[in-house]
Amino acid sequence: MSFAARLGDAATRRPLALVGLAFAAAGVTHFYQWTDGAAPGRQFSDALGQGNYATAAPELVAYATGHPAYVAAVVVGVALLFRGE
């Protein structure tokens, strides 16, 4: 069986897992871009890199309150990926 055929079989058997993967990837990608951009994402990244968790925590909370859809996308994505058959 070719790789394309196996991928097709996996997609037809677990379409919700693929949707979950897309949701989780979108949320993680947005978070990465947020930490790579300007403040407050850069402040979070710098504080975390220095091990200063007291400074990083409020910035993480600011992300979660400012971008709740991306946080929800990751949670739903992971739930779809690991749900039972």
Side-chain angles (χ1 to χ4, degrees):
M1 181 180 275
S2 71
F3 177 74
R6 287 183 188 197
L7 186 60
D9 287 345
T12 57
R13 282 183 284 150
R14 302 273 319 232
L16 286 179
L18 292 175
V19 171
L21 181 63
F23 277 13
V28 169
T29 300
H30 184 267
F31 183 75
Y32 171 75
Q33 290 174 343
W34 178 77
T35 60
D36 201 32
R42 174 60 65 188
Q43 293 171 349
F44 169 77
S45 180
D46 292 343
L48 195 63
Q50 296 169 358
N52 190 351
Y53 303 120
T55 304
E59 303 303 336
L60 186 60
V61 171
Y63 175 81
T65 57
H67 305 277
Y70 290 104
V71 175
V74 170
V75 171
V76 169
V78 169
L80 288 174
L81 272 171
F82 295 106
R83 70 180 180 84
E85 288 291 323

